[in-house]
Structure formats: structure tokens, C-alpha cells
Amino acid sequence: MKEMTTIAAVATPPGEGGIAVIRVSGPEAFAVCDRVFSGGKPLSERPGYTMAFGKIVYEGRILDEVLASVMRAPHSYTGEHTVEISCHGGQLVTRGVLSAILHNGAVLAGRGEFTKRAFLNGKLDLSQAEAVIDLIQAETDAAANLSVNQLQGKLSAPIEEMRQEILGLAAHLDAMADFPDEGIDEAPNDEIIEKLTELIGSLETMANRAEQGRLIREGINTVIVGKPNVGKSSLLNVLSGTDRALVTQQAGTTRDVIEEHIRLGDLRLNLFDTAGIRSNAEQIEEMGIQKAKEYVQKADLVFFVLDMSRPFETEDEEIFSLIQGKNTIFVLNKIDLEQKAVLSEQITNATTVSISAKTGVGLKQLEKTVEEMFSLGSIVQKQEEAVINMRHKQAVLEALSALKNALLTLEMGLPADLLSVDMHAALTSLGTITGQTVSDEIVEEIFSRFCLGK
């Protein structure tokens, strides 16, 4: 790998604060910082894992008093010489210190460039690097726990173990095909079939849990539907603790989708309040209704809100037909009023929760019902496991397809060299998870999701 430039960036969020941290990493990190840091012994002469108090001086002017942390390669986050300068956390001061460093030989780091260098220098594999940004962006304890597991290598380890098993089989098959006269013992078919079956089972388990990982990391897309004036907007407001949606007695107030994000214990709900669905809507309201129907098709969860103080009507029947096959909770609202709705057995036998969005009665039970329906908490409690993301899932599915083809080839009694082709395809697919066989385009796309300074 060619020698890299020395990069620098602010590693803390912008704004006023007690301190800001400016990270400098690369072969000239010490030399660059020594040109602006004044504090006795030069940083380049100090041992790793030490801190020095001093001043940042640029063009004869003291910019700030700082603490400089020294980390020597390879014992740093990036694997390179690194200095982290802690200055006072005002935007003017921070920009001034960073500007002084950039004018003395460093270049501004790109998004995720520090973590990218950690990956390129072998400090992290690609799945661990992805866990860094997932941890930064985590909004629930569950999502953070998943990221920590992955960062600690609890995804990398089983993937690498499977790769080694496949590699061993592939190497033996390659030797048999390339050197047929060398007396290499053929592995019994039953033994190969057993190993392939075990690998396929492990990969299927991983693939099946990817969707649960998505729900934990990205949240459960939850669409609130119902006819006009059943309390959809009131439900959104009371769950989010805001007055995000307008609540009136007039039908058709909500004409576009209103989005809000809330936490329910270890879950994140992405709530979408939609236009009330009815047949005699005016044109602009009808556009909102069509959008509501589109959101229902993409939803992970549907809150079908019913006004229990009004009869069950044709509009309710139409909505009921739209949500077939969806994870649905029937939210029986306005139980504080006289009850007039008569529900079918299909609804009463389904998952229902009685609430009053006005008084707050039943909301705790609604939250509990959501948690029970998805039961994601049990996944993150298993600290020894990691759950793959959707990029990993694609790689796992490709590896699964290759191994199933290999198993079929073996069962059909076809030549061993054909079996070997599928084994190598599986190796390549799994290697994209940890980075051994990943393309530059995928690497760039992953690190483009990072913030500056990480």
C-alpha cells in the first residue's frame, strides 16, 4: 500500500461546548503538530499513550491552550501515528486550530477516512467498520448492543470460521482435480454432504435474522390508518409527546403523510400518520389517500384505528381489505365514550388494544403489544451473537446459493472440479462481509455514510 497523506478533521460535533477534539493521523502527524504545538518537549519525542499540555501558536499568535494526546503506530485507532488535540469547544477556536494544522502539512480528512484507514491497515475488518457508524447512529439500547457485538468481532468470527471450513474443502477438491495421479485421498461423499449441510443451516439462520436486525437498527415502519376522525392524529401526538399533527373535528384535515420517530423500550417506531381513507374525498384529499395506501404496502406494522363510538362502516371494511397479510394491531379508540361499534369475529380474534388517545388509557398496553409482537429484545440479550445487515444478507444469500449448488452437484455425482467452482463462489461472497474480497466501490459507498472526523 502506498504511503498515505496526513489527514486532519474535527472529531466532535460542531457548536459550543467544553472541548473540541481535532484528530490528526498519518506518517507526518507528529511533524505537522510540532509546527504549531508549543509545550516543552516536541510531540515527536514523546512516548505513545501520553498527553502534553501546551499552546497552539500560528503566525506568531496563540490560538488556544490545549491538551495533545500522542499515539504511535501501530497502536492507534487508524494504525498510524496519531495526535488528538483537545481545545476549547467554540467554533471560532476549533476552526482556527484546524486551519493552523492544515496550513502546516495536513489535508482535510474525508467522510469516514479515519475508520477507512483503520480498515486498510488491518485494525478492523469491514463488518467491524460498519459497526462503528451503526453505533454512532444508534437510537436505542438494542441497536447499540447489536453494533457493539459486531464491533467486537462477533460477526467476523463465525464468518471466518465458515470460510476456513469451505476453504479446506475447496483446497482438497482442487488438489484431487489438479493432481489425479498423486494418490490424494478422496473425502467420502457422506462427510462432504454433512459439512455442506451444516454450513447451509448456519447461513440460513443468519439470513433469517437479517430482517430482525433491520428493524432494530432502522426502526419499525408503523403506518396509522383509519377512516377520517377516528383519532389517528391524536394517537400520533400522544405517542410522540408532541402536537405534530393537527387535530380538528373536520374530516380530511390530514392530507399528507406526517412522520415521527419514537422509542418504545428497546424498539424504535417510525410512525406515519396518513390521510383518513373514505370514498367521497375531494381531489387533493384523494391524493393523500392514495399515498396512505402506498405506505400500507411498505409497512412493517399497521395501527388500524377504529372509533368505538361510531358504527363499523363500509370505509372500515375497505381499509380492512387493504391490510390483509400485514402485522396489524387493531387500535380500538375512544373507549371513554358510549360504545356503538360492533366488530366482526375476524377483528375480535385478532390483536386488539382498547385505548383512549384523549385520556391516555391503554397506551401502555399498546406499547407492550408492539414489543411482544416483534420480540426483538431477546436477540440483543444474547451478547455472544451479532445480527447481519442487509448488505451482509445479500452476501449470505449468494453464498447459500453456491453451497446448495455444490450439494446438488455432489448428489448428482458430477465431477469434483464443478463442485470446487461453487465452493470458491461461496468463499468470495462471504469475503465481501469482512472485506477480503470486496470491491473498491462497495468500500467507498460504506465509508461515505460516515461523518467527518470518524
Side-chain angles (χ1 to χ4, degrees), residues 77-108:
Y77 179 71
T78 61
E80 304 171 328
H81 291 328
T82 300
V83 177
E84 291 187 352
I85 295 174
S86 300
C87 62
H88 289 96
Q91 292 193 45
L92 181 64
V93 174
T94 305
R95 284 199 301 266
V97 174
L98 177 61
S99 179
I101 291 168
L102 295 177
H103 278 91
N104 278 277
V107 298
L108 187 64

Side-chain angles (χ1 to χ4, degrees), residues 399-440:
L400 260 174
S401 177
L403 292 183
K404 286 179 179 179
N405 285 340
L407 188 58
L408 181 61
T409 299
L410 189 64
E411 291 171 343
M412 293 174 64
L414 296 176
D417 55 344
L418 294 179
L419 186 66
S420 178
V421 169
D422 291 320
M423 305 289 268
H424 283 284
L427 279 173
T428 299
S429 296
L430 292 180
T432 63
I433 295 176
T434 50
Q436 289 106 317
T437 57
V438 75
S439 68
D440 291 341

Side-chain angles (χ1 to χ4, degrees), residues 228 276-282 285-286 289 314-315 318:
I277 297 175
R278 60 174 175 167
S279 56
N280 60 338
E282 59 184 80
E285 187 183 348
E286 179 62 31
I289 292 171
T314 303
E315 291 162 339
E318 180 185 351

Side-chain angles (χ1 to χ4, degrees), residues 233 236-237 240-246 257-260:
S233 297
L236 174 77
N237 288 344
S240 64
T242 67
D243 291 326
R244 184 79 168 80
L246 201 60
V257 176
I258 299 174
E259 181 177 352
E260 192 66 46

Side-chain angles (χ1 to χ4, degrees), residues 368-430:
K368 182 180 178 182
T369 302
V370 174
E371 292 177 324
E372 290 174 349
M373 178 174 284
F374 287 87
S375 62
L376 300 176
S378 60
I379 296 174
V380 295
Q381 290 170 5
K382 297 178 180 179
Q383 293 295 316
E384 73 278 4
E385 297 181 0
V387 179
I388 62 176
N389 63 29
M390 302 314 285
R391 183 185 79 83
H392 304 154
K393 180 181 179 180
Q394 183 59 39
V396 166
L397 291 177
E398 291 172 359
L400 260 174
S401 177
L403 292 183
K404 286 179 179 179
N405 285 340
L407 188 58
L408 181 61
T409 299
L410 189 64
E411 291 171 343
M412 293 174 64
L414 296 176
D417 55 344
L418 294 179
L419 186 66
S420 178
V421 169
D422 291 320
M423 305 289 268
H424 283 284
L427 279 173
T428 299
S429 296
L430 292 180

Side-chain angles (χ1 to χ4, degrees), residues 37-56:
F37 180 82
S38 175
K41 185 189 296 185
L43 298 177
S44 56
E45 298 178 11
R46 296 177 183 268
Y49 298 128
T50 60
M51 299 183 73
F53 174 75
K55 301 178 178 65
I56 298 296

